[in-house]
Structure formats: structure tokens, C-alpha cells
Amino acid sequence: MGKQIITISRTYGSGGREIGRLVAQKLQVDFYDKNILSLLVEKTGISEEGLKNADERLIKRSLSPYGFTEETDYGTNHYLYEAQVRLIGELAQKGPCVIVGRLADWILRNREDVLNVFITAPGEARIQRIMGYEDVDEETARELMIQVDRRRKSYYDYFTHQQWERMENRDLVINSSLLGIEETAGMISEIAKRA
């Protein structure tokens, strides 16, 4: 295998998580996504609920006498980020794997054995996928798509001092609706073997 570690960044609704899982199965390597939170619970002692509240987000809402306001919880997020940096470094040292999200492309940027993939799709295709797995109507799916992408961008931009939507640091940018989930996973797997 050429590239031992594949990181997958993705827009919400593009199928990135599912594609990552299939790539890991095809390459017979470990797969890390939200299960990183469970590993962090073991290492930090913070509850999984506490980690979920800080996961890939900077903003939290609170109620003031004037309605909802947004506050930035930098302390928890910095702690979680530092813990993720250490853990993702350990997972990469452990052996070949696929890591979805969690700023893994940035955290592992100095390694030569990493293939950084960004998966996206046209808005309407993403909305249809979100409607399916969130069981929501079209308007709600559109709002979720915008909200989650904005949250990911904010988190990525803050910790990396880069722009999430810029592709210069990615090796491969893929429209998952072009080939579909299964074939996109197959293509990434083949590129990882050859790169």
C-alpha cells in the first residue's frame, strides 16, 4: 500500500463517513470517526456527552435575558483539540488507517504516508442524502447542511489558521455524486495503493 493513512474531510451530506468506512474495509485497515470520542473518554476521563458538546464546534448557545446569545467555549475546545492531536498521532503510529474529520489532515500534515481527501457533492444531492439519514424535510435538511458546514469551517479555520474550503492542502477532491458512494470508495482505495 502506498499511502498508509487516509484522512477524509467532507461537506455534510456528501457521504464522506460512509465512503471512509468502505475505504477502510477495502484496504482492511482500521477506521476512526466518531469512535475517536470513545477513545478520548478513556484517555481524558471527560464524559462522552461533554466531548460531544465540544466536538468539531466552537460556538455554544446560551440563554440571556435578551434571548439566545452565542458564546465561544475556548477552554474545552482547546483541551479537546490537544487531546485529539495526541490521540490521532498515536493512531497514525499504530498503523494504516482511515480517519474521518477531526482535523486529521492538519494534524498529520508533516507525514509523507498520508493521503488527504476532501469529499463533497452538489447541494441538492447532499440535501437528499441528509433527508434520508436524518429523516427530515427538505427545508430542515438544507438548514442542517448550511449549519454543519459552517460549524466545521469555523472549527477548522480556528485551529489550523487555514481555510477549510481551500483545497491546496488536499491531495484529492471528489464529488461523491459523480460515481456514487461505492465507486468513490473504490477509487480512493486504488489511489491510496498506488500513491
Side-chain angles (χ1 to χ4, degrees):
M1 186 166 134
K3 296 289 186 179
Q4 299 291 307
I5 299 154
I6 296 116
T7 70
I8 296 183
S9 301
R10 74 277 184 229
T11 55
Y12 187 56
S14 64
R17 177 176 293 118
E18 188 179 351
I19 290 167
R21 188 176 7 262
L22 288 170
V23 169
Q25 288 172 0
K26 289 175 184 300
L27 296 175
Q28 299 179 339
V29 299
D30 290 328
F31 175 71
Y32 301 105
D33 182 26
K34 289 186 176 188
N35 57 343
I36 284 181
L37 292 181
S38 299
L39 297 172
L40 285 170
V41 167
E42 294 172 19
K43 294 207 176 267
T44 66
I46 296 175
S47 72
E48 189 158 351
E49 189 62 34
L51 290 176
K52 280 181 184 175
N53 289 335
D55 184 38
E56 291 190 333
R57 65 182 73 207
L58 286 174
I59 305 299
K60 68 178 182 178
R61 290 182 171 253
S62 63
L63 187 60
S64 76
Y66 305 104
F68 282 101
T69 60
E70 291 186 338
E71 298 175 1
T72 303
D73 184 10
Y74 293 112
T76 303
N77 287 292
H78 277 273
Y79 181 78
L80 175 58
Y81 171 71
E82 292 301 327
Q84 277 187 165
V85 168
R86 287 189 299 276
L87 179 58
I88 287 171
E90 290 171 13
L91 296 175
Q93 284 300 111
K94 186 175 149 188
C97 60
V98 174
I99 305 172
V100 175
R102 310 296 174 284
L103 306 178
D105 62 328
W106 176 253
I107 293 167
L108 301 175
R109 67 191 177 281
N110 295 322
R111 292 182 61 115
E112 295 292 322
D113 60 346
V114 176
L115 178 68
N116 292 315
V117 180
F118 190 90
I119 299 172
T120 191
E124 290 308 312
R126 293 166 55 203
I127 288 167
Q128 291 303 311
R129 190 173 285 121
I130 293 166
M131 287 170 63
Y133 58 68
E134 296 288 354
D135 192 26
V136 295
D137 63 27
E138 185 174 343
E139 183 179 337
T140 303
R142 185 179 309 278
E143 290 170 6
L144 280 170
M145 179 182 73
I146 292 167
Q147 180 183 47
V148 173
D149 281 352
R150 185 179 298 138
R151 189 176 71 220
R152 286 178 179 167
K153 174 185 172 20
S154 174
Y155 187 77
Y156 189 92
D157 292 1
Y158 178 79
F159 282 108
T160 68
H161 306 290
Q162 303 290 312
Q163 293 179 333
W164 180 65
E165 65 276 12
R166 292 186 65 191
M167 298 299 133
E168 290 86 355
N169 297 327
R170 279 39 183 267
D171 300 309
L172 188 60
V173 179
I174 300 174
N175 172 352
S176 61
S177 67
L178 191 63
L179 297 175
I181 300 296
E182 183 74 37
E183 286 192 45
T184 298
M187 181 180 69
I188 294 169
S189 303
E190 287 305 312
I191 290 170
K193 290 177 191 174
R194 297 177 189 180

